[in-house]
Amino acid sequence: MLLDMQNAPRCGARTKSRSGKPCQSPAMPNGRCRMHGGLSPGAPKGNQNAFKHGRYSARYIAERRQMAALIKEMRDLANNL
């Protein structure tokens, strides 16, 4: 009885300096294993773990920019008195 991992597609990247045999690690969706394929394919669409919140959300960035503009305007007014 074979497991699903044994039937998974293989990476196939070849080593240059050592044996020259193809890599036998299971491949990711991009066709290469985690060692030879670069970055992972990423989080699934609609992943709530990637949700931006807090300090770096668009809402708070806009709010900070607005506050900085108000502070600059107040400093300019104070300097012109």
Side-chain angles (χ1 to χ4, degrees):
M1 179 175 156
L2 295 176
L3 299 175
D4 287 337
M5 285 299 289
Q6 292 173 324
N7 292 331
R10 298 296 161 176
C11 171
R14 293 188 175 273
T15 60
K16 291 182 182 181
S17 61
R18 295 191 181 192
S19 66
K21 295 180 180 177
C23 175
Q24 291 299 305
S25 297
M28 296 188 297
N30 64 5
R32 293 293 184 208
C33 70
R34 62 185 180 87
M35 298 297 286
H36 297 111
L39 299 175
S40 72
K45 298 292 182 195
N47 182 7
Q48 288 300 306
N49 293 331
F51 180 70
K52 286 215 174 200
H53 60 86
R55 182 180 180 120
Y56 299 105
S57 68
R59 175 180 164 204
Y60 286 107
I61 290 172
E63 196 172 305
R64 284 196 307 273
R65 286 181 179 161
Q66 185 179 12
M67 289 298 288
L70 287 172
I71 291 170
K72 182 182 183 306
E73 187 176 333
M74 289 173 55
R75 282 186 184 144
D76 290 343
L77 286 172
N79 288 337
N80 291 334
L81 293 177

